[in-house]
């Protein structure tokens, strides 16, 4: 048996050369452990593109570590002796190497942290769990920031992160004299939004092998594996970052909220896969974007909007996750209990907006933020779907979904299931919003202008019915004041028409009659 100092266990979303578990690693003394395990690939049924991306990126990362001189003990999914779980694989490796200690960077999921914290006792080996330094704000820093605040708001947190990083700052003042340029970032959909063709990566031999494996082993999972063009190395992810900065970033701001049937990506970066898995460092990405602004290549509204998503929203979301877990997973402020409709899996619905987003999700393991928030998220919120069912769907279908980032976005931001802890706004909208920001309604069977009755856009009645149903819980929400004032001015006949239209639609959903 070989005696080693540290067994450095690296997980599939820890593929960063500078990950803390490797900080003091010495190829002469330490061994790296990596494994593809069924338990993680199936505890929810992840999209096949997500599994292929992670396994291929892991295999490439292992090769890079070997080139740095490390011994990497790597178990592939179909290895005959694969134990099938993190705990099982670690136990086997401890038996093989008898290390003085296991070193691991903290995971992105509460469930896995519980598992890790038990290992020292169950596996009879010291386990050092190190902080994940790939965030601007550490977990303890966020706790300190949140302490004694009656209300948490991303905007104030974001300003602190701007000050901390110095990104887009002129001394103490924000570049351009304002912290936030969102007012300039709400251009609706129109054909002139067509973005230049997006660069992808042609799969090489390792990726092709993984695609083949995933195609065979995860046939039953939702999602298509065809046209896989993800980057699977840090070098290729960097090329995609450069391409985004040149071609899409200049229009990122103005197109941020738009949706077009012919273009699932518009000016979004498609970088979340790589940032979340560790192939790109979030701060490096922001510095690259800032440099493009400072050299005059992109406008401030785009650079600021993009940087806010990363050092603002992304960091804030992570802070809330660790602050509120494990209870956060089960909150259900609006007591929504409807099961997730079938069409979230099939795309078979006459609502063109939902059909388009689900179909694109199936094909790409991706939908951009406004599609996630204002189409699939909004529909589930209005229809009163159980937030935990919505959460599981999002965790399964997107290639960038890890619980720390997905869960607060779904439970807090999209489903308002935390009663406004994460954000003050309930993202509920009727058909008008979707019509204004997209071209989906033009070819829809439903009429977006029609408010109630046969052929009316379901979002219209569902929107008012949602507000009516939840009036006791939402009426004190300041941002909904004007909307409730409008509802209050409607006649009982109008109100009842909305209630009845919504009830008829929801009855079809519940009866699973395929005319939705
Ligand atoms: C219901 C719902 C579920 C979501 N689930 C996930 C998820 O599982 N994983 C995930 O990474 N993001 C999630 N988001 C946030 C956001 O939609 C995605 O980060 C974004 O769509 C990724 O695409 P992009 O890289 O093209 O982003 P861009 O639009 O180009 O934005 C740039 C970057 O900003 C970051 N970002 C933007 N918004 C957020 C946000 N709200 N939270 C965290 N980071 C953000 C991402 O790193 C992203 O790559 C979710 C949002 C909603 C409303
Ligand atoms: S009419 Fe309504 S259901 Fe149809 S695409 Fe527009 S918003 Fe969606």
């Amino acid at each position: 048996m070989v005696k080693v100092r540290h067994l450095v266990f690296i997980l599939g979303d820890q593929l960063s050369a500078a990950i803390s578990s490797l900080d003091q690693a010495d190829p002469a003394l330490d061994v790296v452990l990596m494994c593809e395990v069924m338990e993680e690939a199936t505890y929810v049924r992840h999209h096949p593109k997500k599994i292929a991306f992670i396994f291929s990126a892991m295999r490439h990362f292992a090769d890079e570590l070997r080139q740095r001189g490390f011994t990497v003990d790597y178990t592939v999914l179909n290895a005959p002796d694969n134990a099938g779980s993190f705990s099982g694989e670690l136990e086997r490796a401890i038996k093989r190497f008898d290390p003085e200690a296991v070193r691991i960077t903290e995971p992105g999921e509460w469930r896995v942290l519980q598992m890790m914290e038990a290992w020292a006792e169950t596996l009879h080996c010291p386990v050092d769990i190190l902080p994940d330094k790939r965030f601007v704000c550490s977990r303890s820093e966020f706790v300190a920031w949140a302490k004694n605040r009656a209300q948490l708001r991303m905007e104030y947190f974001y300003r602190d992160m701007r000050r901390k990083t110095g990104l887009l700052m002129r001394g103490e003042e924000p570049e351009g004299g304002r912290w936030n340029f969102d007012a300039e970032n709400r251009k609706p959909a129109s054909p002139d939004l067509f973005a230049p063709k997006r660069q992808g990566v042609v799969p090489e031999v390792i990726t092709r092998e993984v695609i083949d494996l995933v195609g065979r082993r995860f046939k039953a999972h939702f999602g298509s594996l065809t046209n896989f063009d993800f980057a699977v190395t840090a070098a290729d992810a960097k090329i995609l970052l450069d391409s985004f900065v040149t071609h899409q970033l200049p229009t990122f701001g103005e197109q941020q909220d738009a949706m077009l049937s012919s273009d699932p990506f518009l000016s979004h970066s498609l970088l979340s896969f790589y940032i979340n898995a560790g192939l790109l460092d979030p701060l490096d990405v922001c510095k690259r974007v800032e440099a493009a602004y400072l050299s005059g290549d992109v406008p401030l509204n785009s650079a600021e909007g993009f940087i806010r998503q990363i050092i603002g929203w992304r960091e804030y979301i992570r802070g809330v996750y660790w602050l509120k877990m494990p209870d956060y997973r089960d909150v259900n402020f609006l007591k929504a209990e409807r099961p997730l409709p079938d069409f979230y899996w099939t795309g078979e619905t006459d609502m063109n907006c939902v059909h388009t987003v689900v179909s694109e999700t199936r094909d790409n393991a991706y939908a951009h933020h406004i599609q996630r928030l204002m189409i699939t998220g909004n529909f589930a919120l209005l229809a009163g779907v159980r937030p935990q069912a919505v959460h599981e769907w999002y965790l399964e279908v997107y290639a960038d979904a890890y619980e720390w980032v997905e869960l607060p976005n779904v439970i807090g931001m999209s489903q308002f299931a935390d009663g406004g802890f994460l954000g003050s706004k309930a993202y509920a909208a009727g058909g008008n919003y979707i019509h204004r920001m997209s071209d989906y309604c033009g070819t829809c069977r439903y009429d977006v202008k029609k408010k109630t009755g046969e052929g009316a856009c379901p979002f219209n009645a569902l929107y008012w019915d949602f507000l009516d149903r939840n009036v006791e819980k939402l009426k004190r929400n300041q941002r909904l004041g004007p909307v409730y004032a409008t509802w209050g001015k409607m006649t009982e006949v109008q109100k009842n028409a909305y209630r009845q239209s919504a009830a008829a639609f929801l009855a079809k959903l519940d009866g699973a009659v395929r005319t939705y």
Side-chain angles (χ1 to χ4, degrees), residues 127-146:
V127 177
D128 301 334
I129 303 175
L130 306 165
D132 191 341
K133 298 180 309 181
R134 299 173 299 173
F135 292 88
V136 177
C137 182
S138 70
R139 281 170 53 186
S140 53
E141 233 179 306
F142 192 86
V143 172
W145 178 83

Side-chain angles (χ1 to χ4, degrees), residues 297-481:
D297 296 335
V298 303
L300 182 55
N301 65 312
S302 282
E304 186 282 316
F306 186 87
I307 287 173
R308 175 158 28 92
Q309 304 311 313
I310 296 196
I311 65 167
W313 276 113
R314 186 171 185 274
E315 296 279 337
Y316 178 75
I317 287 279
R318 177 185 186 247
V320 168
Y321 177 80
W322 287 109
L323 189 70
K324 300 301 277 184
M325 279 299 279
D327 299 345
Y328 205 54
R329 192 187 185 286
D330 299 316
V331 293
N332 190 354
F333 175 68
L334 299 175
K335 302 241 175 308
E337 290 299 344
R338 182 163 273 107
L340 191 75
D342 262 6
F343 54 68
Y344 276 78
W345 302 111
T346 63
E348 287 173 21
T349 163
D350 287 339
M351 291 179 286
N352 190 38
C353 50
V354 178
H355 165 76
T356 305
V357 176
V358 172
S359 306
E360 291 176 359
T361 298
R362 182 193 55 223
D363 293 347
N364 306 321
Y366 176 86
H368 67 70
H369 186 70
I370 294 302
Q371 293 178 309
R372 297 186 204 197
L373 188 62
M374 300 312 295
I375 305 294
T376 39
N378 181 27
F379 182 85
L381 175 70
L382 299 186
V385 177
R386 187 170 159 69
Q388 288 67 33
V390 186
H391 146 62
E392 281 186 16
W393 184 80
Y394 277 92
L395 189 58
E396 289 190 25
V397 304
Y398 292 116
D400 57 17
Y402 301 87
E403 198 177 85
W404 68 266
V405 57
E406 172 276 332
L407 187 136
N409 267 303
V410 172
I411 294 280
M413 189 190 299
S414 163
Q415 300 303 296
F416 207 69
D418 64 0
F421 180 82
L422 182 140
S424 57
K425 195 166 167 184
Y427 286 94
N432 267 346
Y433 173 87
I434 297 170
H435 185 43
R436 192 168 66 249
M437 299 313 296
S438 80
D439 64 352
Y440 297 148
C441 303
T443 49
C444 185
R445 176 174 91 72
Y446 292 111
D447 180 354
V448 72
K449 301 274 180 218
K450 199 168 174 211
K451 304 294 179 203
T452 56
E454 182 50 37
C457 166
F459 279 85
N460 292 334
L462 287 177
Y463 173 68
W464 289 115
D465 185 62
F466 164 79
L467 290 167
D468 185 35
R469 247 181 14 242
N470 294 298
V471 60
E472 285 311 315
K473 293 193 169 126
L474 298 177
K475 69 182 177 195
R476 276 175 290 280
N477 182 310
Q478 279 190 349
R479 302 183 75 158
L480 290 173

Side-chain angles (χ1 to χ4, degrees), residues 184-204:
E184 287 150 49
N185 288 353
R186 301 211 170 93
K187 193 169 171 183
S190 76
D192 71 335
L193 292 188
F194 282 111
K197 188 166 167 32
R198 189 170 292 272
Q199 192 170 346
V201 176
V202 178
E204 41 56 77

Side-chain angles (χ1 to χ4, degrees), residues 63-101:
D63 282 348
E64 287 166 18
L65 291 178
R66 287 187 187 110
Q67 280 159 24
R68 282 169 58 187
F70 283 102
T71 301
V72 182
D73 190 74
Y74 192 105
T75 312
V76 292
L77 187 80
N78 48 358
D81 48 358
N82 188 324
S85 66
F86 284 158
S87 302
E89 277 301 292
L90 183 59
E91 185 175 8
R92 284 194 331 121
I94 289 173
K95 282 189 185 137
R96 278 198 301 281
F97 297 108
D98 188 22
E100 287 167 21

